[in-house]
Amino acid sequence: MRHAASVVRTCLTACAAVGMTAAALTGCGGTLTAATDRARDASPSRSSAEPGDPIPGPGQRSPGTRPTRHAIPGIGPHTMRQIPKRTTQVLVSATETKTGSRAHTTMYRLVADGTWKAVDDWPGHNGKNGWKKHRSVGDATTPIGVFGLTDAGGYLANPGTKLSYDRDPAYRSAAAATYGDSFKKVFNYLIAINFNRVAGSKPTDSRHPHGAARGGKIWLHVDHHSPTHGCITLPQSGMKFLLTHLDPKARPVIVTGPKPVISR
């Protein structure tokens, strides 16, 4: 198909469609926004996970007590310190090298003895140019770090997620109008990664608290069998699983990056 090469070079970036403007639906790396959006960039925001007081996860001890929290497999002490104390659900999306673009995502949950149990895992993709801690808009990299997961959306109806969910038919019509019917389903489900965004807003919100130059709208979404412009992809079944299992009370976060970095 004539649009396939375009998809390899960039993650789907939705444009104007029913109910949304091009600025509203730019995803996976974002673009420099209009002056009104840049003015809002100065507003304060908690755009990534922040530490808090410990609370028990499902099956843990009563409030005020908890076991010693062990390391997640493959995650080093520097990265573990960035995971909030209150978090009991963690996704890890990683590749073997910094330039890798075939991300593998694993979901973990904290169990009663303080260890992390792997719940499920899925193949997928990340930015075509790999990973970068200080990415720039348009560089086709996925940010390295630990980020909160608070808001979701998609073309399909809410499958039962406890996360905030923004359903809109424009997620599909914009993708189909730009890339053809073969790619219209990649935004069936998506979860916003809290990189340079206002947590608690719709995934399509264009505010960039740390500046428009860093880009934004980095999402987890349905895989299209090719690298992205910054997003991380999973099979649709994996996206539905995440939506129905992530719980805001567990303060879910995602750890992203190459294994040599996140293992530090």
Side-chain angles (χ1 to χ4, degrees):
M1 174 186 169
R2 78 182 112 198
H3 300 288
S6 174
V7 176
V8 172
R9 291 191 301 270
T10 183
C11 183
L12 280 178
T13 301
C15 31
V18 179
M20 291 189 182
T21 65
L25 263 178
T26 302
C28 295
T31 58
L32 292 175
T33 57
T36 53
D37 286 328
R38 289 197 300 270
R40 290 185 297 177
D41 287 345
S43 62
S45 166
R46 294 176 60 185
S47 61
S48 61
E50 297 181 4
D53 296 327
I55 60 171
Q60 286 191 307
R61 303 176 185 181
S62 59
T65 64
R66 63 187 174 93
T68 300
R69 189 173 70 167
H70 300 285
I72 297 170
I75 304 300
H78 174 74
T79 305
M80 282 298 302
R81 284 194 292 270
Q82 299 175 54
I83 298 175
K85 300 297 184 182
R86 303 178 73 181
T87 290
T88 58
Q89 289 181 330
V90 175
L91 303 184
V92 178
S93 291
T95 57
E96 296 294 332
T97 67
K98 192 173 183 178
T99 57
S101 60
R102 292 181 176 270
H104 199 93
T105 300
T106 304
M107 180 179 181
Y108 293 92
R109 68 179 178 89
L110 187 65
V111 295
D113 63 359
T115 59
W116 295 88
K117 178 180 179 181
V119 179
D120 210 340
D121 64 280
W122 307 271
H125 293 84
N126 57 289
K128 71 171 185 175
N129 290 329
W131 312 86
K132 186 184 289 185
K133 184 173 180 61
H134 300 291
R135 74 180 304 277
S136 300
V137 64
D139 68 7
T141 64
T142 302
I144 297 172
V146 178
F147 308 101
L149 301 171
T150 54
D151 308 287
Y155 169 82
L156 296 179
N158 186 339
T161 187
K162 295 178 181 179
L163 301 177
S164 172
Y165 192 84
D166 172 44
R167 187 190 184 189
D168 198 303
Y171 282 114
R172 179 173 286 185
S173 59
T178 305
Y179 295 101
D181 287 345
S182 296
F183 301 100
K184 67 183 180 182
K185 297 181 179 180
V186 297
F187 292 157
N188 276 356
Y189 295 125
L190 59 92
I191 300 171
I193 295 173
N194 288 355
F195 166 81
N196 201 18
R197 69 179 300 270
V198 178
S201 63
K202 292 181 179 182
T204 53
D205 188 282
S206 294
R207 289 173 289 177
H208 301 309
H210 302 295
R214 297 191 68 186
K217 296 188 178 69
I218 304 296
W219 298 341
L220 287 159
H221 67 71
V222 177
D223 189 47
H224 46 63
H225 309 293
S226 55
T228 74
H229 199 57
C231 289
I232 296 172
T233 63
L234 283 72
Q236 181 163 303
S237 59
M239 287 300 303
K240 186 174 183 179
F241 183 93
L242 291 181
L243 286 169
T244 54
H245 284 75
L246 290 176
D247 185 348
K249 293 181 179 179
R251 308 303 200 274
V253 301
I254 184 169
V255 177
T256 59
K259 291 182 179 179
V261 174
I262 64 176
S263 65
R264 296 173 184 167

